[in-house]
mmCIF file of all heavy atoms in Angstrom:
data_model
loop_
_atom_site.group_PDB
_atom_site.id
_atom_site.type_symbol
_atom_site.label_atom_id
_atom_site.label_comp_id
_atom_site.label_asym_id
_atom_site.label_seq_id
_atom_site.Cartn_x
_atom_site.Cartn_y
_atom_site.Cartn_z
ATOM 1 N N THR L 1 98.801 108.485 37.616
ATOM 2 C CA THR L 1 97.637 109.228 38.118
ATOM 3 C C THR L 1 96.437 108.304 38.288
ATOM 4 O O THR L 1 95.742 108.338 39.305
ATOM 5 C CB THR L 1 97.268 110.358 37.143
ATOM 6 O OG1 THR L 1 98.362 111.247 37.005
ATOM 7 C CG2 THR L 1 96.047 111.134 37.645
ATOM 8 N N ALA L 2 96.184 107.482 37.278
ATOM 9 C CA ALA L 2 95.049 106.553 37.347
ATOM 10 C C ALA L 2 95.204 105.590 38.520
ATOM 11 O O ALA L 2 94.226 105.281 39.213
ATOM 12 C CB ALA L 2 94.934 105.775 36.038
ATOM 13 N N ALA L 3 96.433 105.120 38.763
ATOM 14 C CA ALA L 3 96.671 104.198 39.879
ATOM 15 C C ALA L 3 96.460 104.880 41.228
ATOM 16 O O ALA L 3 95.948 104.266 42.172
ATOM 17 C CB ALA L 3 98.085 103.629 39.793
ATOM 18 N N VAL L 4 96.832 106.145 41.311
ATOM 19 C CA VAL L 4 96.601 106.903 42.553
ATOM 20 C C VAL L 4 95.102 107.009 42.829
ATOM 21 O O VAL L 4 94.637 106.771 43.957
ATOM 22 C CB VAL L 4 97.244 108.301 42.453
ATOM 23 C CG1 VAL L 4 96.793 109.189 43.618
ATOM 24 C CG2 VAL L 4 98.764 108.181 42.424
ATOM 25 N N PHE L 5 94.328 107.331 41.793
ATOM 26 C CA PHE L 5 92.876 107.408 41.970
ATOM 27 C C PHE L 5 92.293 106.035 42.306
ATOM 28 O O PHE L 5 91.404 105.923 43.160
ATOM 29 C CB PHE L 5 92.209 107.972 40.714
ATOM 30 C CG PHE L 5 92.188 109.467 40.655
ATOM 31 C CD1 PHE L 5 93.029 110.165 39.790
ATOM 32 C CD2 PHE L 5 91.335 110.194 41.466
ATOM 33 C CE1 PHE L 5 93.011 111.544 39.735
ATOM 34 C CE2 PHE L 5 91.301 111.581 41.429
ATOM 35 C CZ PHE L 5 92.157 112.258 40.556
ATOM 36 N N ALA L 6 92.773 104.987 41.640
ATOM 37 C CA ALA L 6 92.273 103.639 41.930
ATOM 38 C C ALA L 6 92.534 103.267 43.379
ATOM 39 O O ALA L 6 91.655 102.724 44.064
ATOM 40 C CB ALA L 6 92.940 102.623 40.995
ATOM 41 N N ASN L 7 93.713 103.579 43.860
ATOM 42 C CA ASN L 7 94.064 103.289 45.250
ATOM 43 C C ASN L 7 93.171 104.065 46.211
ATOM 44 O O ASN L 7 92.595 103.496 47.148
ATOM 45 C CB ASN L 7 95.533 103.640 45.472
ATOM 46 C CG ASN L 7 95.986 103.484 46.919
ATOM 47 O OD1 ASN L 7 95.593 104.260 47.783
ATOM 48 N ND2 ASN L 7 96.823 102.496 47.169
ATOM 49 N N MET L 8 93.036 105.347 45.993
ATOM 50 C CA MET L 8 92.327 106.201 46.945
ATOM 51 C C MET L 8 90.812 106.048 46.866
ATOM 52 O O MET L 8 90.105 106.362 47.819
ATOM 53 C CB MET L 8 92.739 107.659 46.738
ATOM 54 C CG MET L 8 94.204 107.913 47.080
ATOM 55 S SD MET L 8 94.632 109.664 47.041
ATOM 56 C CE MET L 8 96.362 109.587 47.531
ATOM 57 N N LEU L 9 90.325 105.560 45.732
ATOM 58 C CA LEU L 9 88.889 105.295 45.598
ATOM 59 C C LEU L 9 88.546 103.834 45.911
ATOM 60 O O LEU L 9 87.376 103.445 45.828
ATOM 61 C CB LEU L 9 88.428 105.623 44.170
ATOM 62 C CG LEU L 9 88.403 107.107 43.782
ATOM 63 C CD1 LEU L 9 88.254 107.263 42.276
ATOM 64 C CD2 LEU L 9 87.275 107.840 44.517
ATOM 65 N N ASN L 10 89.585 103.036 46.242
ATOM 66 C CA ASN L 10 89.389 101.589 46.470
ATOM 67 C C ASN L 10 88.650 100.947 45.297
ATOM 68 O O ASN L 10 87.680 100.198 45.460
ATOM 69 C CB ASN L 10 88.626 101.338 47.776
ATOM 70 C CG ASN L 10 89.429 101.759 48.996
ATOM 71 O OD1 ASN L 10 90.599 101.422 49.124
ATOM 72 N ND2 ASN L 10 88.801 102.536 49.878
ATOM 73 N N ALA L 11 89.139 101.252 44.097
ATOM 74 C CA ALA L 11 88.492 100.757 42.880
ATOM 75 C C ALA L 11 88.602 99.240 42.773
ATOM 76 O O ALA L 11 89.533 98.633 43.300
ATOM 77 C CB ALA L 11 89.128 101.403 41.658
ATOM 78 N N GLU L 12 87.658 98.644 42.055
ATOM 79 C CA GLU L 12 87.707 97.192 41.857
ATOM 80 C C GLU L 12 88.746 96.820 40.812
ATOM 81 O O GLU L 12 89.267 95.702 40.807
ATOM 82 C CB GLU L 12 86.344 96.653 41.442
ATOM 83 C CG GLU L 12 85.852 97.134 40.094
ATOM 84 C CD GLU L 12 84.479 96.599 39.743
ATOM 85 O OE1 GLU L 12 83.485 97.067 40.325
ATOM 86 O OE2 GLU L 12 84.419 95.707 38.876
ATOM 87 N N SER L 13 89.077 97.758 39.891
ATOM 88 C CA SER L 13 90.090 97.487 38.874
ATOM 89 C C SER L 13 90.514 98.797 38.220
ATOM 90 O O SER L 13 89.824 99.816 38.321
ATOM 91 C CB SER L 13 89.550 96.536 37.802
ATOM 92 O OG SER L 13 88.498 97.149 37.074
ATOM 93 N N GLN L 14 91.668 98.730 37.564
ATOM 94 C CA GLN L 14 92.111 99.825 36.703
ATOM 95 C C GLN L 14 92.350 99.245 35.317
ATOM 96 O O GLN L 14 92.921 98.160 35.179
ATOM 97 C CB GLN L 14 93.411 100.448 37.214
ATOM 98 C CG GLN L 14 93.992 101.506 36.272
ATOM 99 C CD GLN L 14 95.276 102.123 36.795
ATOM 100 O OE1 GLN L 14 95.483 102.194 38.002
ATOM 101 N NE2 GLN L 14 96.143 102.564 35.897
ATOM 102 N N THR L 15 91.915 99.958 34.292
ATOM 103 C CA THR L 15 92.129 99.525 32.908
ATOM 104 C C THR L 15 92.847 100.612 32.133
ATOM 105 O O THR L 15 92.431 101.777 32.146
ATOM 106 C CB THR L 15 90.798 99.202 32.205
ATOM 107 O OG1 THR L 15 90.108 98.188 32.946
ATOM 108 C CG2 THR L 15 91.039 98.711 30.790
ATOM 109 N N ILE L 16 93.938 100.223 31.486
ATOM 110 C CA ILE L 16 94.655 101.118 30.580
ATOM 111 C C ILE L 16 94.302 100.709 29.154
ATOM 112 O O ILE L 16 94.529 99.559 28.758
ATOM 113 C CB ILE L 16 96.176 101.029 30.809
ATOM 114 C CG1 ILE L 16 96.531 101.490 32.230
ATOM 115 C CG2 ILE L 16 96.924 101.858 29.770
ATOM 116 C CD1 ILE L 16 97.997 101.309 32.588
ATOM 117 N N TRP L 17 93.722 101.629 28.405
ATOM 118 C CA TRP L 17 93.309 101.351 27.029
ATOM 119 C C TRP L 17 94.398 101.832 26.084
ATOM 120 O O TRP L 17 94.754 103.014 26.063
ATOM 121 C CB TRP L 17 91.984 102.048 26.728
ATOM 122 C CG TRP L 17 90.845 101.519 27.553
ATOM 123 C CD1 TRP L 17 90.430 101.966 28.774
ATOM 124 C CD2 TRP L 17 89.993 100.422 27.217
ATOM 125 N NE1 TRP L 17 89.365 101.224 29.216
ATOM 126 C CE2 TRP L 17 89.074 100.260 28.280
ATOM 127 C CE3 TRP L 17 89.919 99.557 26.116
ATOM 128 C CZ2 TRP L 17 88.091 99.279 28.274
ATOM 129 C CZ3 TRP L 17 88.932 98.570 26.111
ATOM 130 C CH2 TRP L 17 88.033 98.441 27.182
ATOM 131 N N LYS L 18 94.941 100.895 25.275
ATOM 132 C CA LYS L 18 96.055 101.197 24.386
ATOM 133 C C LYS L 18 95.724 100.759 22.958
ATOM 134 O O LYS L 18 94.680 100.146 22.726
ATOM 135 C CB LYS L 18 97.329 100.492 24.877
ATOM 136 C CG LYS L 18 97.749 100.922 26.293
ATOM 137 C CD LYS L 18 98.975 100.196 26.762
ATOM 138 C CE LYS L 18 100.228 100.678 26.075
ATOM 139 N NZ LYS L 18 100.639 102.037 26.471
ATOM 140 N N ASP L 19 96.657 101.033 22.039
ATOM 141 C CA ASP L 19 96.428 100.670 20.637
ATOM 142 C C ASP L 19 97.058 99.322 20.287
ATOM 143 O O ASP L 19 97.313 99.035 19.124
ATOM 144 C CB ASP L 19 96.940 101.760 19.696
ATOM 145 C CG ASP L 19 98.424 102.069 19.893
ATOM 146 O OD1 ASP L 19 99.027 101.522 20.844
ATOM 147 O OD2 ASP L 19 98.972 102.850 19.101
ATOM 148 N N VAL L 20 97.328 98.504 21.298
ATOM 149 C CA VAL L 20 97.807 97.132 21.098
ATOM 150 C C VAL L 20 96.854 96.199 21.846
ATOM 151 O O VAL L 20 96.072 96.646 22.691
ATOM 152 C CB VAL L 20 99.249 96.944 21.608
ATOM 153 C CG1 VAL L 20 100.226 97.699 20.734
ATOM 154 C CG2 VAL L 20 99.379 97.386 23.069
ATOM 155 N N GLU L 21 96.941 94.906 21.564
ATOM 156 C CA GLU L 21 95.983 93.978 22.174
ATOM 157 C C GLU L 21 96.222 93.748 23.653
ATOM 158 O O GLU L 21 95.377 93.192 24.348
ATOM 159 C CB GLU L 21 95.992 92.634 21.429
ATOM 160 C CG GLU L 21 97.318 91.897 21.441
ATOM 161 C CD GLU L 21 97.239 90.563 20.716
ATOM 162 O OE1 GLU L 21 96.395 89.731 21.104
ATOM 163 O OE2 GLU L 21 98.005 90.357 19.766
ATOM 164 N N GLY L 22 97.348 94.179 24.152
ATOM 165 C CA GLY L 22 97.691 94.019 25.560
ATOM 166 C C GLY L 22 99.171 94.254 25.725
ATOM 167 O O GLY L 22 99.807 94.926 24.905
ATOM 168 N N VAL L 23 99.761 93.715 26.782
ATOM 169 C CA VAL L 23 101.205 93.830 26.988
ATOM 170 C C VAL L 23 101.906 92.872 26.032
ATOM 171 O O VAL L 23 101.536 91.710 25.911
ATOM 172 C CB VAL L 23 101.585 93.519 28.451
ATOM 173 C CG1 VAL L 23 103.100 93.570 28.637
ATOM 174 C CG2 VAL L 23 100.903 94.503 29.402
ATOM 175 N N MET L 24 102.924 93.370 25.353
ATOM 176 C CA MET L 24 103.717 92.561 24.435
ATOM 177 C C MET L 24 105.109 92.353 25.026
ATOM 178 O O MET L 24 105.534 93.093 25.918
ATOM 179 C CB MET L 24 103.827 93.253 23.073
ATOM 180 C CG MET L 24 102.523 93.814 22.538
ATOM 181 S SD MET L 24 101.305 92.558 22.111
ATOM 182 C CE MET L 24 101.951 91.999 20.537
ATOM 183 N N ASN L 25 105.834 91.378 24.515
ATOM 184 C CA ASN L 25 107.173 91.115 25.044
ATOM 185 C C ASN L 25 108.222 92.063 24.447
ATOM 186 O O ASN L 25 109.393 92.015 24.840
ATOM 187 C CB ASN L 25 107.584 89.657 24.801
ATOM 188 C CG ASN L 25 107.954 89.386 23.358
ATOM 189 O OD1 ASN L 25 107.300 89.878 22.437
ATOM 190 N ND2 ASN L 25 108.994 88.601 23.145
ATOM 191 N N ALA L 26 107.811 92.913 23.514
ATOM 192 C CA ALA L 26 108.685 93.925 22.929
ATOM 193 C C ALA L 26 107.800 94.972 22.268
ATOM 194 O O ALA L 26 106.594 94.759 22.087
ATOM 195 C CB ALA L 26 109.632 93.290 21.906
ATOM 196 N N ASP L 27 108.378 96.103 21.933
ATOM 197 C CA ASP L 27 107.630 97.159 21.262
ATOM 198 C C ASP L 27 107.260 96.688 19.854
ATOM 199 O O ASP L 27 108.141 96.493 19.008
ATOM 200 C CB ASP L 27 108.493 98.424 21.184
ATOM 201 C CG ASP L 27 107.762 99.593 20.548
ATOM 202 O OD1 ASP L 27 106.654 99.394 20.013
ATOM 203 O OD2 ASP L 27 108.309 100.703 20.560
ATOM 204 N N PRO L 28 105.969 96.492 19.570
ATOM 205 C CA PRO L 28 105.575 95.967 18.255
ATOM 206 C C PRO L 28 105.930 96.904 17.100
ATOM 207 O O PRO L 28 106.002 96.468 15.953
ATOM 208 C CB PRO L 28 104.060 95.778 18.386
ATOM 209 C CG PRO L 28 103.649 96.642 19.527
ATOM 210 C CD PRO L 28 104.821 96.715 20.456
ATOM 211 N N LYS L 29 106.168 98.191 17.394
ATOM 212 C CA LYS L 29 106.563 99.111 16.329
ATOM 213 C C LYS L 29 107.985 98.824 15.857
ATOM 214 O O LYS L 29 108.327 99.064 14.701
ATOM 215 C CB LYS L 29 106.453 100.559 16.822
ATOM 216 C CG LYS L 29 105.012 100.980 17.113
ATOM 217 C CD LYS L 29 104.953 102.332 17.774
ATOM 218 C CE LYS L 29 103.512 102.679 18.165
ATOM 219 N NZ LYS L 29 103.442 103.904 18.985
ATOM 220 N N SER L 30 108.809 98.304 16.762
ATOM 221 C CA SER L 30 110.187 97.971 16.417
ATOM 222 C C SER L 30 110.369 96.483 16.139
ATOM 223 O O SER L 30 111.289 96.090 15.426
ATOM 224 C CB SER L 30 111.135 98.394 17.552
ATOM 225 O OG SER L 30 111.026 99.764 17.824
ATOM 226 N N PHE L 31 109.501 95.667 16.730
ATOM 227 C CA PHE L 31 109.604 94.214 16.589
ATOM 228 C C PHE L 31 108.257 93.671 16.101
ATOM 229 O O PHE L 31 107.368 93.391 16.903
ATOM 230 C CB PHE L 31 109.978 93.559 17.934
ATOM 231 C CG PHE L 31 111.313 94.000 18.467
ATOM 232 C CD1 PHE L 31 111.417 95.119 19.284
ATOM 233 C CD2 PHE L 31 112.468 93.293 18.149
ATOM 234 C CE1 PHE L 31 112.648 95.529 19.770
ATOM 235 C CE2 PHE L 31 113.700 93.688 18.638
ATOM 236 C CZ PHE L 31 113.797 94.814 19.449
ATOM 237 N N PRO L 32 108.079 93.547 14.802
ATOM 238 C CA PRO L 32 106.785 93.103 14.241
ATOM 239 C C PRO L 32 106.335 91.731 14.741
ATOM 240 O O PRO L 32 105.137 91.441 14.733
ATOM 241 C CB PRO L 32 107.044 93.080 12.727
ATOM 242 C CG PRO L 32 108.207 93.996 12.515
ATOM 243 C CD PRO L 32 109.048 93.877 13.739
ATOM 244 N N ASP L 33 107.282 90.892 15.167
ATOM 245 C CA ASP L 33 106.907 89.559 15.652
ATOM 246 C C ASP L 33 106.758 89.509 17.175
ATOM 247 O O ASP L 33 106.810 88.440 17.789
ATOM 248 C CB ASP L 33 107.938 88.516 15.199
ATOM 249 C CG ASP L 33 109.355 88.850 15.659
ATOM 250 O OD1 ASP L 33 109.558 89.992 16.149
ATOM 251 O OD2 ASP L 33 110.250 87.990 15.531
ATOM 252 N N ALA L 34 106.562 90.671 17.792
ATOM 253 C CA ALA L 34 106.368 90.722 19.248
ATOM 254 C C ALA L 34 105.199 89.844 19.673
ATOM 255 O O ALA L 34 104.181 89.764 18.977
ATOM 256 C CB ALA L 34 106.134 92.167 19.695
ATOM 257 N N GLN L 35 105.345 89.188 20.839
ATOM 258 C CA GLN L 35 104.332 88.250 21.328
ATOM 259 C C GLN L 35 103.430 88.894 22.379
ATOM 260 O O GLN L 35 103.894 89.653 23.224
ATOM 261 C CB GLN L 35 105.005 87.026 21.950
ATOM 262 C CG GLN L 35 105.914 86.252 21.016
ATOM 263 C CD GLN L 35 106.632 85.128 21.741
ATOM 264 O OE1 GLN L 35 106.023 84.325 22.458
ATOM 265 N NE2 GLN L 35 107.942 85.066 21.577
ATOM 266 N N PHE L 36 102.173 88.557 22.324
ATOM 267 C CA PHE L 36 101.187 88.988 23.327
ATOM 268 C C PHE L 36 101.365 88.176 24.610
ATOM 269 O O PHE L 36 101.602 86.969 24.577
ATOM 270 C CB PHE L 36 99.778 88.794 22.768
ATOM 271 C CG PHE L 36 98.683 88.907 23.782
ATOM 272 C CD1 PHE L 36 98.369 90.119 24.366
ATOM 273 C CD2 PHE L 36 97.970 87.778 24.178
ATOM 274 C CE1 PHE L 36 97.350 90.226 25.301
ATOM 275 C CE2 PHE L 36 96.955 87.873 25.116
ATOM 276 C CZ PHE L 36 96.646 89.102 25.675
#
């Protein structure tokens, strides 16, 4: 939904706010040593 609005509003950026520092290489809940 956010991406649809970003596209149709010609937004400068979209930000997804999550409870992790960013995208990890694995689910940190299952893999404690997951890398940022």
Side-chain angles (χ1 to χ4, degrees):
T1 300
V4 169
F5 276 106
N7 175 290
M8 294 187 178
L9 290 167
N10 294 312
E12 65 181 74
S13 65
Q14 174 180 332
T15 302
I16 297 174
W17 295 90
K18 300 179 73 70
D19 57 354
V20 291
E21 61 179 303
V23 177
M24 314 293 282
N25 75 319
D27 182 351
K29 294 172 185 172
S30 302
F31 298 89
D33 57 349
Q35 301 175 50
F36 167 69

